[in-house]
Amino acid sequence: MSVEALVTTLKGGLDAPICLTWELTYACNLQCVHCLSSSGQRDPRELSTAEAKQVLDELRDLQVFYINIGGGEPMVRRDFFEILEYSISQGIGVKFSTNGAFIDFDKAQRLAAMDYLDIQISLDGTDAVTNDAVRGEGSYDMARRAMDNLKAAGFGPFKISVVVTRHNVDQLDEFKALADSYGAQLRVTRLRPSGRGADSWHDLHPTNAQQRQIYNWLLAHGENVLTGDSFFHLNALGEEPLPGLNMCGAGRVVCLIDPIGDVYACPFVIHVEFKAGSVRDAGGFAKVWKQSELFLELREPQSAGACSSCGSYDACQGGCMAAKFFTGLPLDGPDPECVNGHGEHLLEGVSAASNPKPSMDHSKPAKVTAVSVSLGVTRKPVAVS
């Protein structure tokens, strides 16, 4: 089957998702400024251990062969290893994303002893200054300790996951060298304006010139670097297609389950407009995946809309739904990072105040430092008789 025929088939949806992301918790020890789920504090409505295992039973019956577990920080959950081991026992492989805070040597050994397990350590700079500006003070050293422990435990080729920003794009070669030094695989992903990323996107997203820089770098290294197909909008540059599928898989081949069991079409659009149902509803996840009106609609042929007159549409497919939605652009319009500049032009007429906001924010309250302030009031002396 040709790539074009495969994409056409996948756009019509599958009996089960190829890539299912499951955020186990909104609790997190960090407060990354680009966090897609605005994580920080645990939601008291979180799925219980028993409910999580029930979902895994459904996924097993649907023949889902692997899941992406994230958060928040998934290792915060006390039942993390219980859920992990249960998933693997049901024949469902796991890839989980972590900031590395809880991977000491003992846990690294426990993880290394498991089959069908992949680990992805998040890092957004090859030095502490670049990384910690986004992920928080001390997070660089924390991630490197986790990598050292995994290597020492003989875990194997874990992954280093990088969100590409205008501040770390010049470090792509260094990221690759770092991954190679651990025998790891590099994964680079696109910054989306979701969650807290909606507030930091304008300061962090790569410039148009840097988009071309990313494209050229991926052409040179793409066969050895994972992207999750998140840069398919760059195919509009037209010189040569990037490796991977050229399509938006939302509700077709991918979806997200959040910590309270709500199911969304895309891991990057946690918003009520893209909520398809809940695993707690009658029929569970299987019914949501197979029968939800939203997913069925997304599997219908989509209009090119405002991009129909652009000669690059077949190459970029209009770009990323999440990026358009949270920057206030129409879903059938150009990507905000359209390499031809069409999205940037449209953004000039969009008021940031009117942009859709994430449905929930689990960020921790900002720390307030008490400061002693003199009000300059002079008391009159009290007469003592």
Short mmCIF file of all heavy atoms in Angstrom, two decimals, residues 353-375:
data_model
loop_
_atom_site.label_atom_id
_atom_site.label_comp_id
_atom_site.label_asym_id
_atom_site.label_seq_id
_atom_site.Cartn_x
_atom_site.Cartn_y
_atom_site.Cartn_z
N ALA A 353 -7.40 37.94 23.67
CA ALA A 353 -8.36 37.87 24.78
C ALA A 353 -9.56 37.00 24.43
O ALA A 353 -10.23 36.46 25.31
CB ALA A 353 -8.82 39.27 25.16
N SER A 354 -9.85 36.88 23.13
CA SER A 354 -11.02 36.11 22.71
C SER A 354 -10.69 34.66 22.37
O SER A 354 -11.58 33.88 22.03
CB SER A 354 -11.65 36.78 21.48
OG SER A 354 -10.76 36.75 20.38
N ASN A 355 -9.42 34.28 22.46
CA ASN A 355 -9.02 32.91 22.13
C ASN A 355 -9.63 31.91 23.11
O ASN A 355 -9.80 32.22 24.30
CB ASN A 355 -7.49 32.77 22.16
CG ASN A 355 -6.82 33.48 21.02
OD1 ASN A 355 -7.49 34.02 20.14
ND2 ASN A 355 -5.51 33.51 21.02
N PRO A 356 -9.95 30.70 22.65
CA PRO A 356 -10.46 29.66 23.56
C PRO A 356 -9.44 29.36 24.65
O PRO A 356 -8.23 29.36 24.42
CB PRO A 356 -10.65 28.44 22.65
CG PRO A 356 -10.76 29.00 21.27
CD PRO A 356 -9.88 30.22 21.25
N LYS A 357 -9.94 29.13 25.85
CA LYS A 357 -9.08 28.78 26.98
C LYS A 357 -9.26 27.31 27.32
O LYS A 357 -10.31 26.74 27.08
CB LYS A 357 -9.43 29.64 28.20
CG LYS A 357 -9.32 31.14 27.96
CD LYS A 357 -7.91 31.56 27.57
CE LYS A 357 -7.83 33.07 27.33
NZ LYS A 357 -6.50 33.46 26.81
N PRO A 358 -8.22 26.68 27.89
CA PRO A 358 -8.36 25.29 28.31
C PRO A 358 -9.55 25.13 29.24
O PRO A 358 -9.88 26.04 30.01
CB PRO A 358 -7.04 25.01 29.03
CG PRO A 358 -6.07 26.00 28.47
CD PRO A 358 -6.88 27.23 28.18
N SER A 359 -10.22 23.98 29.17
CA SER A 359 -11.41 23.75 29.98
C SER A 359 -11.10 23.71 31.47
O SER A 359 -11.93 24.06 32.30
CB SER A 359 -12.09 22.45 29.56
OG SER A 359 -12.56 22.54 28.23
N MET A 360 -9.90 23.24 31.82
CA MET A 360 -9.51 23.14 33.22
C MET A 360 -8.08 23.61 33.39
O MET A 360 -7.27 23.49 32.49
CB MET A 360 -9.65 21.70 33.71
CG MET A 360 -11.08 21.18 33.74
SD MET A 360 -11.15 19.45 34.27
CE MET A 360 -10.61 18.62 32.77
N ASP A 361 -7.79 24.16 34.56
CA ASP A 361 -6.43 24.58 34.87
C ASP A 361 -6.08 24.02 36.26
O ASP A 361 -6.70 24.38 37.25
CB ASP A 361 -6.32 26.10 34.87
CG ASP A 361 -4.88 26.59 34.94
OD1 ASP A 361 -4.01 25.81 35.37
OD2 ASP A 361 -4.62 27.75 34.58
N HIS A 362 -5.09 23.13 36.28
CA HIS A 362 -4.68 22.51 37.54
C HIS A 362 -3.34 23.06 38.02
O HIS A 362 -2.65 22.43 38.83
CB HIS A 362 -4.62 20.99 37.38
CG HIS A 362 -5.95 20.36 37.21
ND1 HIS A 362 -6.57 20.26 35.97
CD2 HIS A 362 -6.82 19.82 38.10
CE1 HIS A 362 -7.75 19.67 36.12
NE2 HIS A 362 -7.92 19.39 37.39
N SER A 363 -2.97 24.24 37.51
CA SER A 363 -1.72 24.86 37.94
C SER A 363 -1.75 25.12 39.45
O SER A 363 -2.80 25.39 40.03
CB SER A 363 -1.50 26.19 37.21
OG SER A 363 -1.47 26.01 35.82
N LYS A 364 -0.58 25.02 40.04
CA LYS A 364 -0.48 25.35 41.46
C LYS A 364 -0.58 26.86 41.65
O LYS A 364 -0.16 27.62 40.77
CB LYS A 364 0.86 24.85 42.02
CG LYS A 364 1.02 23.34 41.96
CD LYS A 364 2.42 22.93 42.36
CE LYS A 364 2.62 21.43 42.19
NZ LYS A 364 4.01 21.01 42.47
N PRO A 365 -1.14 27.30 42.77
CA PRO A 365 -1.23 28.74 43.02
C PRO A 365 0.16 29.37 43.01
O PRO A 365 1.13 28.76 43.45
CB PRO A 365 -1.87 28.83 44.41
CG PRO A 365 -2.55 27.51 44.61
CD PRO A 365 -1.71 26.51 43.87
N ALA A 366 0.23 30.59 42.49
CA ALA A 366 1.52 31.29 42.47
C ALA A 366 1.97 31.56 43.90
O ALA A 366 1.17 31.88 44.77
CB ALA A 366 1.38 32.60 41.70
N LYS A 367 3.27 31.38 44.12
CA LYS A 367 3.81 31.64 45.45
C LYS A 367 3.87 33.15 45.70
O LYS A 367 4.31 33.91 44.85
CB LYS A 367 5.22 31.04 45.57
CG LYS A 367 5.23 29.52 45.56
CD LYS A 367 6.64 29.00 45.74
CE LYS A 367 6.66 27.47 45.73
NZ LYS A 367 8.04 26.94 45.89
N VAL A 368 3.41 33.55 46.86
CA VAL A 368 3.44 34.96 47.24
C VAL A 368 4.40 35.11 48.40
O VAL A 368 4.26 34.45 49.44
CB VAL A 368 2.04 35.46 47.65
CG1 VAL A 368 2.11 36.91 48.08
CG2 VAL A 368 1.06 35.27 46.50
N THR A 369 5.40 35.96 48.23
CA THR A 369 6.38 36.20 49.28
C THR A 369 5.96 37.39 50.11
O THR A 369 5.71 38.48 49.57
CB THR A 369 7.77 36.47 48.66
OG1 THR A 369 8.11 35.35 47.82
CG2 THR A 369 8.82 36.63 49.75
N ALA A 370 5.85 37.16 51.39
CA ALA A 370 5.44 38.26 52.28
C ALA A 370 6.57 39.28 52.38
O ALA A 370 7.74 38.94 52.54
CB ALA A 370 5.11 37.70 53.65
N VAL A 371 6.22 40.53 52.23
CA VAL A 371 7.19 41.62 52.31
C VAL A 371 6.74 42.60 53.37
O VAL A 371 5.57 43.02 53.39
CB VAL A 371 7.32 42.36 50.96
CG1 VAL A 371 8.32 43.49 51.07
CG2 VAL A 371 7.73 41.38 49.87
N SER A 372 7.64 42.96 54.27
CA SER A 372 7.31 43.94 55.31
C SER A 372 7.38 45.33 54.72
O SER A 372 8.38 45.72 54.12
CB SER A 372 8.30 43.80 56.47
OG SER A 372 8.04 44.77 57.44
N VAL A 373 6.27 46.06 54.80
CA VAL A 373 6.19 47.39 54.21
C VAL A 373 5.87 48.41 55.29
O VAL A 373 4.91 48.24 56.05
CB VAL A 373 5.10 47.45 53.12
CG1 VAL A 373 5.03 48.85 52.52
CG2 VAL A 373 5.39 46.42 52.03
N SER A 374 6.64 49.45 55.36
CA SER A 374 6.37 50.53 56.31
C SER A 374 5.33 51.47 55.71
O SER A 374 5.47 51.93 54.57
CB SER A 374 7.66 51.30 56.60
OG SER A 374 7.36 52.44 57.37
N LEU A 375 4.25 51.68 56.41
CA LEU A 375 3.19 52.55 55.89
C LEU A 375 3.44 54.02 56.19
O LEU A 375 2.66 54.87 55.79
CB LEU A 375 1.83 52.12 56.49
CG LEU A 375 1.40 50.69 56.17
CD1 LEU A 375 0.08 50.38 56.85
CD2 LEU A 375 1.29 50.50 54.67
#
